[in-house]
């Protein structure tokens, strides 16, 4: 039975100098060796990963942002789901805290090998809790130093997934939990940055309003603001195996992405000036 190593190896945290933390909860690709036999062969390809985000967001050190990334795949445990496994989008297709299905709805595990209550609790304690403890501690550090903290929850997804949504997803999907997780000026700054790229479609609090991380940590009344960006992978990579990064596509979208993140930081600085 995997012990998932110690807390320091479950995630990596790069501490920055500005009041901004970027969380990438679905960028991990590893499945512990002693768990792999329970998964289907296809699941071991971890196709529903938020591929290459660390590369796409390579400008974050220049902005001085903190960056938090997990080691393990969302197929082991989904760090953007609540610990009680309550559905994030009631009435729609949802994946669980310990997912049992691909985004296609097909099973991740061989028949009868899905994790039971004890195994799910073990994964929550070993992987989910350390990540969230680090996230909360970094936000607290940033707030103590700067008087406020910003959380940018970075995600990407294939542009067509019928099990999750109809048709093609808008290119950029901003979530602020319906306005509850961030001051309206911060959300407006993201939209304003997108005005420079009218050829890229945008939705605000549409199908993706923000997952657990955005909803739980975004507390404007306590000077912590959270924004989720769910972006289509077609903007920067191949959406089919081997899920290759596309330098030419990424080159076009990275300036917009940088302006969005920088715009959020600038808007927050104005709020607290």
């Amino acid at each position: 039975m995997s012990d998932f190593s110690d807390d320091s190896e479950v995630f990596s945290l790069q501490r920055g100098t500005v009041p901004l933390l970027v969380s990438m909860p679905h960028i991990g690709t590893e499945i512990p060796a002693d768990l792999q036999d329970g998964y289907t062969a296809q699941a071991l390809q971890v196709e529903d990963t938020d591929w290459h985000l660390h590369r796409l967001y390579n400008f974050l050190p220049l902005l001085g942002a903190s960056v938090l990334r997990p080691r393990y795949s969302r197929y082991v445990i989904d760090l953007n789901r609540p610990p009680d496994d309550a559905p994030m989008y009631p009435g729609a297709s949802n994946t669980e805290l310990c997912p049992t299905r691909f985004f296609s709805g097909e099973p991740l595990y061989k028949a009868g090998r899905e994790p039971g209550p004890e195994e799910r609790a073990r994964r929550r304690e070993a992987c989910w809790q350390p990540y969230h403890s680090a996230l909360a501690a970094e936000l607290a550090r940033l707030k103590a130093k700067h008087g406020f903290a910003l959380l940018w929850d970075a995600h990407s997804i294939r542009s067509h997934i019928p099990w999750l949504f109809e048709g093609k997803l808008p290119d950029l999907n901003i979530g602020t939990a319906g306005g509850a997780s961030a001051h309206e000026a911060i959300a407006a700054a993201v939209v304003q940055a997108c005005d420079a790229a009218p050829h890229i479609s945008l939705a605000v609090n549409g199908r993706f309003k923000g997952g657990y991380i955005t909803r739980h940590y975004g507390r404007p009344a306590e000077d912590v603001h959270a924004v989720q960006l769910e972006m289509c992978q077609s903007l920067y990579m191949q959406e089919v195996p081997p899920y290759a990064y596309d330098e030419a596509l990424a080159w076009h979208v990275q300036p917009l992405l940088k302006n969005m993140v920088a715009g959020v930081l600038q808007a927050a600085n104005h709020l607290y000036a």
Side-chain angles (χ1 to χ4, degrees):
M1 181 179 291
S2 174
D3 62 5
F4 295 103
S5 302
D6 57 68
D7 285 4
S8 64
E9 295 184 0
V10 170
F11 63 87
S12 66
L13 173 62
Q14 175 185 341
R15 291 188 173 91
T17 57
V18 300
L20 172 64
L21 169 61
V22 178
S23 166
M24 302 180 179
H26 295 150
I27 201 172
T29 58
E30 185 173 337
I31 294 177
D34 59 349
L35 296 182
Q36 292 181 13
D37 184 61
Y39 290 87
T40 66
Q42 181 182 351
L44 298 180
Q45 305 305 308
V46 293
E47 64 184 47
D48 296 321
T49 298
D50 291 9
W51 297 104
H52 310 299
L53 283 189
H54 193 243
R55 187 173 179 181
L56 187 68
Y57 280 83
N58 63 8
F59 55 83
L60 291 176
L62 295 176
L63 292 181
S66 298
V67 182
L68 180 63
R69 297 183 292 155
R71 171 181 178 181
Y72 295 108
S73 168
R74 68 186 303 159
Y75 289 173
V76 176
I77 194 161
D78 191 331
L79 300 169
N80 201 28
R81 296 294 180 269
D84 64 359
D85 210 8
M88 296 305 303
Y89 296 97
S93 297
N94 287 267
T95 55
E96 310 100 318
L97 180 66
C98 291
T100 58
R101 291 172 287 183
F102 292 94
F103 286 170
S104 65
E106 297 298 312
L108 283 173
Y109 290 89
K110 297 172 183 175
R113 301 294 296 275
E114 301 86 354
E118 183 176 338
E119 173 62 11
R120 293 196 299 269
R122 188 178 72 89
R123 295 184 193 184
R124 185 176 66 238
E125 180 178 355
C127 298
W128 189 97
Q129 191 59 59
Y131 189 88
H132 282 269
S133 294
L135 198 163
E138 183 62 7
L139 288 176
R141 183 186 76 85
L142 295 176
K143 180 181 172 182
K145 181 176 181 179
H146 301 281
F148 68 95
L150 286 171
L151 172 61
W152 182 275
D153 206 40
H155 297 263
S156 71
I157 194 169
R158 295 191 302 279
S159 55
H160 292 85
I161 303 180
W163 190 66
L164 292 179
F165 49 82
E166 294 183 4
K168 181 187 181 298
L169 192 69
D171 295 320
L172 301 174
N173 300 267
I174 301 299
T176 59
S181 70
H183 189 281
E184 59 183 9
I186 290 173
V190 181
V191 175
Q192 183 177 3
C194 294
D195 288 343
H199 60 289
I200 294 180
S201 57
L202 172 69
V204 179
N205 291 311
R207 171 62 178 84
F208 293 97
K209 296 177 174 62
Y212 175 79
I213 289 174
T214 303
R215 301 182 199 189
H216 180 73
Y217 293 100
R219 301 175 183 178
E222 299 175 21
D223 302 313
V224 179
H225 305 264
V227 176
Q228 176 180 288
L229 174 61
E230 183 76 78
M231 65 186 305
C232 284
Q233 292 174 343
S234 56
L235 289 175
Y236 70 94
M237 60 170 279
Q238 297 176 3
E239 294 190 329
V240 295
Y243 308 111
Y245 190 80
D246 189 315
E247 289 277 7
L249 286 176
W251 185 84
H252 286 288
V253 76
Q254 277 181 310
L256 172 59
L257 190 58
K258 182 178 179 180
N259 286 341
M260 293 169 73
V261 177
V264 164
L265 185 58
Q266 184 179 37
N269 281 328
H270 286 162
L271 281 175
Y272 289 91

